[in-house]
Amino acid sequence: MFARRIDRLTSSLVRDILAAATRPDMISFAGGLPAEEALYQPTLNDGKLPDIWQYGQTEGEPRLRELVAQHARALGIDCTAAQVLIVNGSQQGIDLVSKLFIDEGTPLLTEAPAYLAALQSFRLFGAELHSFAVDADGAQLDQLKAQLVPQRCVYLTPTFQNPSGYCYSDAERNAVAGAVDAADAILFEDDPYRDLAYDGPAPAPIAGRLQRARWIYQGSFSKTLAPGLRLGYLIVHPDFITPLTRLKQAADLHSNRLSQALVADCLERGALATHVQSVLPLYLARRDAMAAALQQHLAEYAEWALPKGGLFFWLRLKQRVDTRQLLQAGLDAGIAIMPGDAFFAGTPQQSCLRLNFSHANPALIETGVQRLAGLLAQANRLAA
Amino acid sequence: MFARRIDRLTSSLVRDILAAATRPDMISFAGGLPAEEALYQPTLNDGKLPDIWQYGQTEGEPRLRELVAQHARALGIDCTAAQVLIVNGSQQGIDLVSKLFIDEGTPLLTEAPAYLAALQSFRLFGAELHSFAVDADGAQLDQLKAQLVPQRCVYLTPTFQNPSGYCYSDAERNAVAGAVDAADAILFEDDPYRDLAYDGPAPAPIAGRLQRARWIYQGSFSKTLAPGLRLGYLIVHPDFITPLTRLKQAADLHSNRLSQALVADCLERGALATHVQSVLPLYLARRDAMAAALQQHLAEYAEWALPKGGLFFWLRLKQRVDTRQLLQAGLDAGIAIMPGDAFFAGTPQQSCLRLNFSHANPALIETGVQRLAGLLAQANRLAA
C-alpha cells in the first residue's frame, strides 16, 4: 500500500526523545533546543500584525531575500537576492535538496558523524550514503577527496557541527573548496550555528571559496532567533534556483509570510546581531558549566573537545557502551541524552554521546552530568 | 546531475500566470486568490504576539488539533485530535500524501478535470495517473468504479471542485463511499472550498460515509481565512497518522506556530464561521456578476454551469481553441485566464477555461468577460 520510501522511514529517535524530554522533571541534554531565555520575541510596529494575508511569492518575500543576500555577501558568498529561496527552517531546505538530487540509489557523501535529520532525509529519498570522518584529529580530507565525484553532492556542516561541534579551520576550508572544485562535485553547506561563536568568529563559509563547482549554502533563523518562526534559507548556484523554486512550490507554495515579515523587520533594524550578542554570554556560561562538570565527573569515561560554537558537546566514550540502553536508563533517571550512533551513515568505531548545553541552566547541567557519570559507571561495571 | 523527478517538474503554469497577473493593469480570472477584502485579519490579545518561539510538536499545536477534530466531527467525520496533522496549507498535505503512497509508476485515480497542483505533485513523485470524468452530467461513477483497486488511492475534490465547480450530490457521495468500501480502495478527499457555499450547505464529506475503506480528509484555512497563514490539516485513518507525521517531521519538523496560535484563537472564538458569513455576500455578488456577464457576452462561445460554491466558473468552449495561445492573447489584452487542459491527467475532449470570480470586483468582471468574448470571437474567426 505504501511507497517504498516508507520502509526507510525509521522511527525518529529525535522525535521520540523530544517527546520524553518534555517531562517536567527531566534534565534534557538531548535536543538542540535554544534556551528559553534566548528566544527572540519580535516586536510589532504599533502593536499591529503586518499585512501579509494574501498568497505570497514562492521564492520568499523580496525584502527578506534581499536582506539574506546582503548578509551572505558579507560572509564572502558572491550572490544576489535572485539566488535566495526562503524555506520553513533548514529541515525543509534539506527536503528540497534531497528532492533535487536523490533517486533511489543515488550516492551522496556526508561527514561521519553528520546531522541526524539530514541523514534521515537523504535515506528517505533512497540515497546511498558514503562518509568521511570528522573526528578528534579534524576532518579527514584524504577520505573526502577519495570519494568526490563529478556532479555528486557532498553535504557538510563545517561550522560548529551538530553533533561533533567541530569547526573547520581556514586551511581545511580552502582545501575542501579546492578539492570540490577539482572534482566538479556539488557542495551542500549547512551553516545554522555560525553566529553562535564563543571564541571569536568562525572562518568564512566554504561556498564562497569555490571557483568552479556548484554549491548550495543553507542558513537558519532557528538557532539565532527562534525555532517557532520556522524560517531558514537556501542560497544557491544559479543552475539550481529554478528547479528548487518549483520544488518549493510543489511542497507548500511558499513559506509563512508572517514569520518572513517579522524576521525581515528584525534584520532591517540590525536586531539579529544585537540579539545574538545578547544571547552569547548565556550560552558561553552554559558551555563552560558543562565543560567544568564533564571535567569533574566524566574524564574517566569519555574524551571530548571544547566546542568553540554551536550547542553541543560530543563525547567519545572510552569503553564501548550500548548507548540506546544508556538513553533508556537515562530517561528513567531523569536525564535525556542523545546516543551517538544515530549520527553515522555507517557503523561508528566508538560509542559516542551528544550533549546539548544550551537548554538546561548551569545548576541542572551539573546535576545532569553527575547523573550521567553514575549511569556510565554502572554501564562500565556491567560491561566489565 | 538531478534526480529523475526533476524531468517531471514541468514549468508551473500557475506560477507563471500568477506572476503575470500581478501587473497592476491586469484583470485576473486566473488564480485562486481570495478577494483582498475577504482576507481574515487576526486580532491579538493585548496587541501581543502569542508565546510560540520554541520548537513545537510535529503533529501541530494540541489546541488547534482538538479544534480541527471538533470541526470535522460536526461534519460527520468520526475522528479524534490524534488523527489530525497540521500542515502548511493543502499543498503540503498533497506533498506528504504523495510521499506516503507514490513510487515511480504507482497508479493513482483522479477526476478529470482535477486540481492542477495536485496533478503536478502526483506526477512529480512519478504516479501513473488514471481518471474518470466529472463533467456537465456529473461524476461518471461507472468510470470511477471500473478503476477502483484495493489499496489504491483515489483523489477527489467532491465539493465545489477546483476547477469544475462541481459539487457531488448526497446520492453521488453515498455511491462513491459504497464503491470505495467495496473495492477497499483508499480515499483522499480534498475539501478546501466547503465553507464557500452560496446556495446552501454542501452535503457531508465522503470520508465520513465510509464503513471500511481507509481515508484521508484534507481541509484548509487559505480560502476561508487567509492564504498567507499557510495552514491546512489532514485528518486520517489511524493507519496513516504515524507515517504521515514522520514524513512531516522529515519535511520541515512542524508548521508555523504563530499561524497555528492565531487560527486556534479564531476557531475558539467562533470567528471562522462569523468571518465566512461576512465574506459570502461579497463572493455571491461576484459569482452572480460573472454569471450575468458570461450570459451576456459568452453564451455564443461556451457552456457552463452556475457554481454553487467555491471560486470558479468552468467554461467548455463550443469550438476547439488553443487555450495556451488564448492565455497569451489575454495577457496582452490585460485579461488573465486559466487554460483548461492543464487540469487533465490525459487529453481533454473539449477546450476548457477556468475563470476565477473572487478576486476582481463586479465592474472588472464585466470588463474582463467582455475582453474575453472579443478574444474568443477572434480565435473562432481564425479557426474558421
Side-chain angles (χ1 to χ4, degrees), chain B residues 172-204:
Chain B
E172 282 177 318
R173 286 166 196 257
N174 286 335
V176 171
V180 170
D181 266 337
D184 194 24
I186 295 165
L187 173 69
F188 179 15
E189 180 172 13
D190 197 2
D191 210 12
Y193 299 105
R194 164 167 298 277
D195 291 346
L196 302 183
Y198 312 121
D199 302 326

PDB file of all heavy atoms in Angstrom, chain B residues 172-204:
ATOM      1  N   GLU B 172     -24.596  10.813  -4.948  1.00  0.00           N
ATOM      2  CA  GLU B 172     -23.282  10.516  -5.545  1.00  0.00           C
ATOM      3  C   GLU B 172     -22.251  10.197  -4.467  1.00  0.00           C
ATOM      4  O   GLU B 172     -21.419   9.301  -4.622  1.00  0.00           O
ATOM      5  CB  GLU B 172     -22.812  11.702  -6.398  1.00  0.00           C
ATOM      6  CG  GLU B 172     -23.491  11.790  -7.758  1.00  0.00           C
ATOM      7  CD  GLU B 172     -23.064  13.025  -8.547  1.00  0.00           C
ATOM      8  OE1 GLU B 172     -22.956  14.122  -7.941  1.00  0.00           O
ATOM      9  OE2 GLU B 172     -22.841  12.913  -9.753  1.00  0.00           O
ATOM     10  N   ARG B 173     -22.315  10.955  -3.389  1.00  0.00           N
ATOM     11  CA  ARG B 173     -21.358  10.715  -2.291  1.00  0.00           C
ATOM     12  C   ARG B 173     -21.548   9.317  -1.697  1.00  0.00           C
ATOM     13  O   ARG B 173     -20.574   8.610  -1.417  1.00  0.00           O
ATOM     14  CB  ARG B 173     -21.511  11.781  -1.210  1.00  0.00           C
ATOM     15  CG  ARG B 173     -20.943  13.115  -1.642  1.00  0.00           C
ATOM     16  CD  ARG B 173     -21.369  14.283  -0.760  1.00  0.00           C
ATOM     17  NE  ARG B 173     -21.086  15.516  -1.464  1.00  0.00           N
ATOM     18  CZ  ARG B 173     -20.035  16.321  -1.196  1.00  0.00           C
ATOM     19  NH1 ARG B 173     -19.235  16.073  -0.185  1.00  0.00           N
ATOM     20  NH2 ARG B 173     -19.814  17.400  -1.921  1.00  0.00           N
ATOM     21  N   ASN B 174     -22.821   8.952  -1.481  1.00  0.00           N
ATOM     22  CA  ASN B 174     -23.069   7.610  -0.956  1.00  0.00           C
ATOM     23  C   ASN B 174     -22.595   6.544  -1.926  1.00  0.00           C
ATOM     24  O   ASN B 174     -22.013   5.530  -1.510  1.00  0.00           O
ATOM     25  CB  ASN B 174     -24.562   7.435  -0.662  1.00  0.00           C
ATOM     26  CG  ASN B 174     -24.973   8.199   0.596  1.00  0.00           C
ATOM     27  OD1 ASN B 174     -24.140   8.448   1.474  1.00  0.00           O
ATOM     28  ND2 ASN B 174     -26.242   8.576   0.676  1.00  0.00           N
ATOM     29  N   ALA B 175     -22.804   6.791  -3.203  1.00  0.00           N
ATOM     30  CA  ALA B 175     -22.378   5.806  -4.205  1.00  0.00           C
ATOM     31  C   ALA B 175     -20.855   5.684  -4.229  1.00  0.00           C
ATOM     32  O   ALA B 175     -20.313   4.572  -4.303  1.00  0.00           O
ATOM     33  CB  ALA B 175     -22.898   6.215  -5.582  1.00  0.00           C
ATOM     34  N   VAL B 176     -20.167   6.831  -4.156  1.00  0.00           N
ATOM     35  CA  VAL B 176     -18.703   6.791  -4.142  1.00  0.00           C
ATOM     36  C   VAL B 176     -18.208   6.060  -2.893  1.00  0.00           C
ATOM     37  O   VAL B 176     -17.331   5.183  -2.973  1.00  0.00           O
ATOM     38  CB  VAL B 176     -18.100   8.218  -4.196  1.00  0.00           C
ATOM     39  CG1 VAL B 176     -16.599   8.179  -3.948  1.00  0.00           C
ATOM     40  CG2 VAL B 176     -18.408   8.875  -5.531  1.00  0.00           C
ATOM     41  N   ALA B 177     -18.789   6.391  -1.741  1.00  0.00           N
ATOM     42  CA  ALA B 177     -18.361   5.738  -0.497  1.00  0.00           C
ATOM     43  C   ALA B 177     -18.573   4.228  -0.607  1.00  0.00           C
ATOM     44  O   ALA B 177     -17.683   3.439  -0.237  1.00  0.00           O
ATOM     45  CB  ALA B 177     -19.132   6.311   0.695  1.00  0.00           C
ATOM     46  N   GLY B 178     -19.719   3.822  -1.107  1.00  0.00           N
ATOM     47  CA  GLY B 178     -20.002   2.392  -1.257  1.00  0.00           C
ATOM     48  C   GLY B 178     -18.996   1.719  -2.182  1.00  0.00           C
ATOM     49  O   GLY B 178     -18.503   0.616  -1.891  1.00  0.00           O
ATOM     50  N   ALA B 179     -18.675   2.392  -3.271  1.00  0.00           N
ATOM     51  CA  ALA B 179     -17.747   1.801  -4.238  1.00  0.00           C
ATOM     52  C   ALA B 179     -16.332   1.716  -3.674  1.00  0.00           C
ATOM     53  O   ALA B 179     -15.631   0.711  -3.862  1.00  0.00           O
ATOM     54  CB  ALA B 179     -17.751   2.627  -5.524  1.00  0.00           C
ATOM     55  N   VAL B 180     -15.920   2.768  -2.974  1.00  0.00           N
ATOM     56  CA  VAL B 180     -14.572   2.765  -2.378  1.00  0.00           C
ATOM     57  C   VAL B 180     -14.493   1.679  -1.302  1.00  0.00           C
ATOM     58  O   VAL B 180     -13.506   0.942  -1.208  1.00  0.00           O
ATOM     59  CB  VAL B 180     -14.230   4.164  -1.812  1.00  0.00           C
ATOM     60  CG1 VAL B 180     -12.957   4.118  -0.974  1.00  0.00           C
ATOM     61  CG2 VAL B 180     -14.075   5.177  -2.949  1.00  0.00           C
ATOM     62  N   ASP B 181     -15.563   1.557  -0.503  1.00  0.00           N
ATOM     63  CA  ASP B 181     -15.618   0.487   0.502  1.00  0.00           C
ATOM     64  C   ASP B 181     -15.540  -0.890  -0.154  1.00  0.00           C
ATOM     65  O   ASP B 181     -14.766  -1.750   0.271  1.00  0.00           O
ATOM     66  CB  ASP B 181     -16.933   0.582   1.288  1.00  0.00           C
ATOM     67  CG  ASP B 181     -16.791   1.392   2.578  1.00  0.00           C
ATOM     68  OD1 ASP B 181     -15.643   1.496   3.085  1.00  0.00           O
ATOM     69  OD2 ASP B 181     -17.801   1.917   3.060  1.00  0.00           O
ATOM     70  N   ALA B 182     -16.366  -1.066  -1.182  1.00  0.00           N
ATOM     71  CA  ALA B 182     -16.442  -2.382  -1.827  1.00  0.00           C
ATOM     72  C   ALA B 182     -15.090  -2.775  -2.422  1.00  0.00           C
ATOM     73  O   ALA B 182     -14.698  -3.946  -2.376  1.00  0.00           O
ATOM     74  CB  ALA B 182     -17.511  -2.366  -2.916  1.00  0.00           C
ATOM     75  N   ALA B 183     -14.377  -1.781  -2.940  1.00  0.00           N
ATOM     76  CA  ALA B 183     -13.087  -2.075  -3.581  1.00  0.00           C
ATOM     77  C   ALA B 183     -11.941  -2.092  -2.579  1.00  0.00           C
ATOM     78  O   ALA B 183     -10.833  -2.489  -2.923  1.00  0.00           O
ATOM     79  CB  ALA B 183     -12.796  -1.039  -4.662  1.00  0.00           C
ATOM     80  N   ASP B 184     -12.204  -1.634  -1.332  1.00  0.00           N
ATOM     81  CA  ASP B 184     -11.133  -1.447  -0.351  1.00  0.00           C
ATOM     82  C   ASP B 184     -10.030  -0.541  -0.901  1.00  0.00           C
ATOM     83  O   ASP B 184      -8.839  -0.772  -0.691  1.00  0.00           O
ATOM     84  CB  ASP B 184     -10.550  -2.791   0.108  1.00  0.00           C
ATOM     85  CG  ASP B 184      -9.694  -2.632   1.362  1.00  0.00           C
ATOM     86  OD1 ASP B 184      -9.903  -1.648   2.104  1.00  0.00           O
ATOM     87  OD2 ASP B 184      -8.799  -3.469   1.584  1.00  0.00           O
ATOM     88  N   ALA B 185     -10.458   0.471  -1.651  1.00  0.00           N
ATOM     89  CA  ALA B 185      -9.521   1.488  -2.124  1.00  0.00           C
ATOM     90  C   ALA B 185      -9.248   2.483  -0.989  1.00  0.00           C
ATOM     91  O   ALA B 185      -9.799   2.344   0.109  1.00  0.00           O
ATOM     92  CB  ALA B 185     -10.098   2.195  -3.342  1.00  0.00           C
ATOM     93  N   ILE B 186      -8.415   3.459  -1.255  1.00  0.00           N
ATOM     94  CA  ILE B 186      -8.097   4.491  -0.255  1.00  0.00           C
ATOM     95  C   ILE B 186      -8.584   5.834  -0.788  1.00  0.00           C
ATOM     96  O   ILE B 186      -8.224   6.237  -1.895  1.00  0.00           O
ATOM     97  CB  ILE B 186      -6.570   4.546  -0.002  1.00  0.00           C
ATOM     98  CG1 ILE B 186      -6.094   3.238   0.628  1.00  0.00           C
ATOM     99  CG2 ILE B 186      -6.221   5.739   0.892  1.00  0.00           C
ATOM    100  CD1 ILE B 186      -4.591   3.065   0.573  1.00  0.00           C
ATOM    101  N   LEU B 187      -9.405   6.511   0.010  1.00  0.00           N
ATOM    102  CA  LEU B 187      -9.957   7.798  -0.415  1.00  0.00           C
ATOM    103  C   LEU B 187      -9.091   8.951   0.100  1.00  0.00           C
ATOM    104  O   LEU B 187      -8.808   9.027   1.296  1.00  0.00           O
ATOM    105  CB  LEU B 187     -11.379   7.962   0.136  1.00  0.00           C
ATOM    106  CG  LEU B 187     -12.010   9.346  -0.089  1.00  0.00           C
ATOM    107  CD1 LEU B 187     -12.313   9.566  -1.568  1.00  0.00           C
ATOM    108  CD2 LEU B 187     -13.277   9.513   0.748  1.00  0.00           C
ATOM    109  N   PHE B 188      -8.687   9.839  -0.802  1.00  0.00           N
ATOM    110  CA  PHE B 188      -8.038  11.099  -0.412  1.00  0.00           C
ATOM    111  C   PHE B 188      -8.995  12.212  -0.838  1.00  0.00           C
ATOM    112  O   PHE B 188      -9.084  12.545  -2.013  1.00  0.00           O
ATOM    113  CB  PHE B 188      -6.679  11.212  -1.100  1.00  0.00           C
ATOM    114  CG  PHE B 188      -5.910  12.476  -0.794  1.00  0.00           C
ATOM    115  CD1 PHE B 188      -6.253  13.316   0.269  1.00  0.00           C
ATOM    116  CD2 PHE B 188      -4.794  12.822  -1.561  1.00  0.00           C
ATOM    117  CE1 PHE B 188      -5.533  14.476   0.545  1.00  0.00           C
ATOM    118  CE2 PHE B 188      -4.058  13.982  -1.291  1.00  0.00           C
ATOM    119  CZ  PHE B 188      -4.441  14.811  -0.248  1.00  0.00           C
ATOM    120  N   GLU B 189      -9.725  12.739   0.134  1.00  0.00           N
ATOM    121  CA  GLU B 189     -10.758  13.749  -0.129  1.00  0.00           C
ATOM    122  C   GLU B 189     -10.228  15.131   0.231  1.00  0.00           C
ATOM    123  O   GLU B 189      -9.894  15.394   1.386  1.00  0.00           O
ATOM    124  CB  GLU B 189     -12.014  13.433   0.706  1.00  0.00           C
ATOM    125  CG  GLU B 189     -13.142  14.435   0.488  1.00  0.00           C
ATOM    126  CD  GLU B 189     -14.452  14.007   1.181  1.00  0.00           C
ATOM    127  OE1 GLU B 189     -14.407  13.076   2.014  1.00  0.00           O
ATOM    128  OE2 GLU B 189     -15.496  14.619   0.884  1.00  0.00           O
ATOM    129  N   ASP B 190     -10.157  15.989  -0.760  1.00  0.00           N
ATOM    130  CA  ASP B 190      -9.603  17.338  -0.578  1.00  0.00           C
ATOM    131  C   ASP B 190     -10.782  18.313  -0.562  1.00  0.00           C
ATOM    132  O   ASP B 190     -11.554  18.366  -1.518  1.00  0.00           O
ATOM    133  CB  ASP B 190      -8.649  17.623  -1.753  1.00  0.00           C
ATOM    134  CG  ASP B 190      -7.721  18.791  -1.477  1.00  0.00           C
ATOM    135  OD1 ASP B 190      -7.777  19.358  -0.366  1.00  0.00           O
ATOM    136  OD2 ASP B 190      -6.936  19.144  -2.388  1.00  0.00           O
ATOM    137  N   ASP B 191     -10.903  19.091   0.508  1.00  0.00           N
ATOM    138  CA  ASP B 191     -12.167  19.816   0.734  1.00  0.00           C
ATOM    139  C   ASP B 191     -11.950  21.285   1.120  1.00  0.00           C
ATOM    140  O   ASP B 191     -12.523  21.768   2.102  1.00  0.00           O
ATOM    141  CB  ASP B 191     -12.932  19.081   1.852  1.00  0.00           C
ATOM    142  CG  ASP B 191     -14.450  19.228   1.709  1.00  0.00           C
ATOM    143  OD1 ASP B 191     -14.912  19.682   0.647  1.00  0.00           O
ATOM    144  OD2 ASP B 191     -15.163  18.890   2.674  1.00  0.00           O
ATOM    145  N   PRO B 192     -11.176  22.047   0.338  1.00  0.00           N
ATOM    146  CA  PRO B 192     -10.862  23.420   0.770  1.00  0.00           C
ATOM    147  C   PRO B 192     -11.985  24.434   0.557  1.00  0.00           C
ATOM    148  O   PRO B 192     -11.932  25.508   1.144  1.00  0.00           O
ATOM    149  CB  PRO B 192      -9.659  23.783  -0.103  1.00  0.00           C
ATOM    150  CG  PRO B 192      -9.810  22.967  -1.340  1.00  0.00           C
ATOM    151  CD  PRO B 192     -10.451  21.683  -0.896  1.00  0.00           C
ATOM    152  N   TYR B 193     -12.990  24.093  -0.273  1.00  0.00           N
ATOM    153  CA  TYR B 193     -13.993  25.104  -0.645  1.00  0.00           C
ATOM    154  C   TYR B 193     -15.324  24.926   0.071  1.00  0.00           C
ATOM    155  O   TYR B 193     -16.252  25.702  -0.162  1.00  0.00           O
ATOM    156  CB  TYR B 193     -14.220  25.055  -2.166  1.00  0.00           C
ATOM    157  CG  TYR B 193     -12.967  25.365  -2.937  1.00  0.00           C
ATOM    158  CD1 TYR B 193     -12.249  24.368  -3.565  1.00  0.00           C
ATOM    159  CD2 TYR B 193     -12.476  26.674  -2.987  1.00  0.00           C
ATOM    160  CE1 TYR B 193     -11.074  24.645  -4.233  1.00  0.00           C
ATOM    161  CE2 TYR B 193     -11.300  26.963  -3.659  1.00  0.00           C
ATOM    162  CZ  TYR B 193     -10.609  25.943  -4.287  1.00  0.00           C
ATOM    163  OH  TYR B 193      -9.443  26.237  -4.938  1.00  0.00           O
ATOM    164  N   ARG B 194     -15.448  23.904   0.907  1.00  0.00           N
ATOM    165  CA  ARG B 194     -16.724  23.547   1.529  1.00  0.00           C
ATOM    166  C   ARG B 194     -17.462  24.755   2.122  1.00  0.00           C
ATOM    167  O   ARG B 194     -18.680  24.895   1.927  1.00  0.00           O
ATOM    168  CB  ARG B 194     -16.470  22.493   2.617  1.00  0.00           C
ATOM    169  CG  ARG B 194     -17.603  22.287   3.627  1.00  0.00           C
ATOM    170  CD  ARG B 194     -17.396  21.035   4.445  1.00  0.00           C
ATOM    171  NE  ARG B 194     -17.399  19.866   3.571  1.00  0.00           N
ATOM    172  CZ  ARG B 194     -18.495  19.249   3.144  1.00  0.00           C
ATOM    173  NH1 ARG B 194     -19.685  19.669   3.528  1.00  0.00           N
ATOM    174  NH2 ARG B 194     -18.404  18.203   2.338  1.00  0.00           N
ATOM    175  N   ASP B 195     -16.752  25.611   2.843  1.00  0.00           N
ATOM    176  CA  ASP B 195     -17.444  26.702   3.545  1.00  0.00           C
ATOM    177  C   ASP B 195     -17.887  27.825   2.608  1.00  0.00           C
ATOM    178  O   ASP B 195     -18.724  28.643   2.987  1.00  0.00           O
ATOM    179  CB  ASP B 195     -16.554  27.281   4.649  1.00  0.00           C
ATOM    180  CG  ASP B 195     -16.362  26.294   5.788  1.00  0.00           C
ATOM    181  OD1 ASP B 195     -17.113  25.304   5.847  1.00  0.00           O
ATOM    182  OD2 ASP B 195     -15.452  26.514   6.616  1.00  0.00           O
ATOM    183  N   LEU B 196     -17.333  27.866   1.398  1.00  0.00           N
ATOM    184  CA  LEU B 196     -17.735  28.912   0.449  1.00  0.00           C
ATOM    185  C   LEU B 196     -18.931  28.413  -0.367  1.00  0.00           C
ATOM    186  O   LEU B 196     -18.843  28.147  -1.558  1.00  0.00           O
ATOM    187  CB  LEU B 196     -16.567  29.279  -0.471  1.00  0.00           C
ATOM    188  CG  LEU B 196     -15.295  29.762   0.230  1.00  0.00           C
ATOM    189  CD1 LEU B 196     -14.242  30.166  -0.782  1.00  0.00           C
ATOM    190  CD2 LEU B 196     -15.582  30.925   1.182  1.00  0.00           C
ATOM    191  N   ALA B 197     -20.067  28.283   0.312  1.00  0.00           N
ATOM    192  CA  ALA B 197     -21.292  27.722  -0.279  1.00  0.00           C
ATOM    193  C   ALA B 197     -22.312  28.836  -0.420  1.00  0.00           C
ATOM    194  O   ALA B 197     -22.660  29.479   0.571  1.00  0.00           O
ATOM    195  CB  ALA B 197     -21.821  26.613   0.616  1.00  0.00           C
ATOM    196  N   TYR B 198     -22.782  29.069  -1.653  1.00  0.00           N
ATOM    197  CA  TYR B 198     -23.638  30.232  -1.907  1.00  0.00           C
ATOM    198  C   TYR B 198     -25.118  29.875  -1.981  1.00  0.00           C
ATOM    199  O   TYR B 198     -25.966  30.756  -1.892  1.00  0.00           O
ATOM    200  CB  TYR B 198     -23.191  30.926  -3.198  1.00  0.00           C
ATOM    201  CG  TYR B 198     -21.693  31.149  -3.221  1.00  0.00           C
ATOM    202  CD1 TYR B 198     -20.890  30.616  -4.214  1.00  0.00           C
ATOM    203  CD2 TYR B 198     -21.072  31.860  -2.175  1.00  0.00           C
ATOM    204  CE1 TYR B 198     -19.521  30.790  -4.199  1.00  0.00           C
ATOM    205  CE2 TYR B 198     -19.707  32.035  -2.153  1.00  0.00           C
ATOM    206  CZ  TYR B 198     -18.927  31.490  -3.170  1.00  0.00           C
ATOM    207  OH  TYR B 198     -17.573  31.659  -3.136  1.00  0.00           O
ATOM    208  N   ASP B 199     -25.419  28.603  -2.163  1.00  0.00           N
ATOM    209  CA  ASP B 199     -26.828  28.196  -2.292  1.00  0.00           C
ATOM    210  C   ASP B 199     -27.157  27.104  -1.285  1.00  0.00           C
ATOM    211  O   ASP B 199     -27.769  26.095  -1.615  1.00  0.00           O
ATOM    212  CB  ASP B 199     -27.095  27.701  -3.725  1.00  0.00           C
ATOM    213  CG  ASP B 199     -26.766  28.760  -4.774  1.00  0.00           C
ATOM    214  OD1 ASP B 199     -26.960  29.959  -4.495  1.00  0.00           O
ATOM    215  OD2 ASP B 199     -26.277  28.392  -5.867  1.00  0.00           O
ATOM    216  N   GLY B 200     -26.730  27.333  -0.056  1.00  0.00           N
ATOM    217  CA  GLY B 200     -26.976  26.341   0.987  1.00  0.00           C
ATOM    218  C   GLY B 200     -25.784  25.417   1.153  1.00  0.00           C
ATOM    219  O   GLY B 200     -24.943  25.308   0.259  1.00  0.00           O
ATOM    220  N   PRO B 201     -25.700  24.751   2.335  1.00  0.00           N
ATOM    221  CA  PRO B 201     -24.525  23.937   2.640  1.00  0.00           C
ATOM    222  C   PRO B 201     -24.382  22.731   1.713  1.00  0.00           C
ATOM    223  O   PRO B 201     -25.370  22.195   1.212  1.00  0.00           O
ATOM    224  CB  PRO B 201     -24.756  23.491   4.081  1.00  0.00           C
ATOM    225  CG  PRO B 201     -26.182  23.747   4.376  1.00  0.00           C
ATOM    226  CD  PRO B 201     -26.682  24.777   3.423  1.00  0.00           C
ATOM    227  N   ALA B 202     -23.134  22.325   1.501  1.00  0.00           N
ATOM    228  CA  ALA B 202     -22.833  21.139   0.695  1.00  0.00           C
ATOM    229  C   ALA B 202     -23.147  19.885   1.510  1.00  0.00           C
ATOM    230  O   ALA B 202     -23.120  19.916   2.743  1.00  0.00           O
ATOM    231  CB  ALA B 202     -21.367  21.152   0.292  1.00  0.00           C
ATOM    232  N   PRO B 203     -23.436  18.770   0.837  1.00  0.00           N
ATOM    233  CA  PRO B 203     -23.608  17.502   1.558  1.00  0.00           C
ATOM    234  C   PRO B 203     -22.337  17.148   2.321  1.00  0.00           C
ATOM    235  O   PRO B 203     -21.237  17.577   1.953  1.00  0.00           O
ATOM    236  CB  PRO B 203     -23.871  16.490   0.439  1.00  0.00           C
ATOM    237  CG  PRO B 203     -24.288  17.289  -0.751  1.00  0.00           C
ATOM    238  CD  PRO B 203     -23.612  18.610  -0.623  1.00  0.00           C
ATOM    239  N   ALA B 204     -22.478  16.351   3.365  1.00  0.00           N
ATOM    240  CA  ALA B 204     -21.340  15.997   4.228  1.00  0.00           C
ATOM    241  C   ALA B 204     -20.255  15.279   3.426  1.00  0.00           C
ATOM    242  O   ALA B 204     -20.517  14.676   2.386  1.00  0.00           O
ATOM    243  CB  ALA B 204     -21.831  15.118   5.367  1.00  0.00           C
TER     244      ALA B 204
END
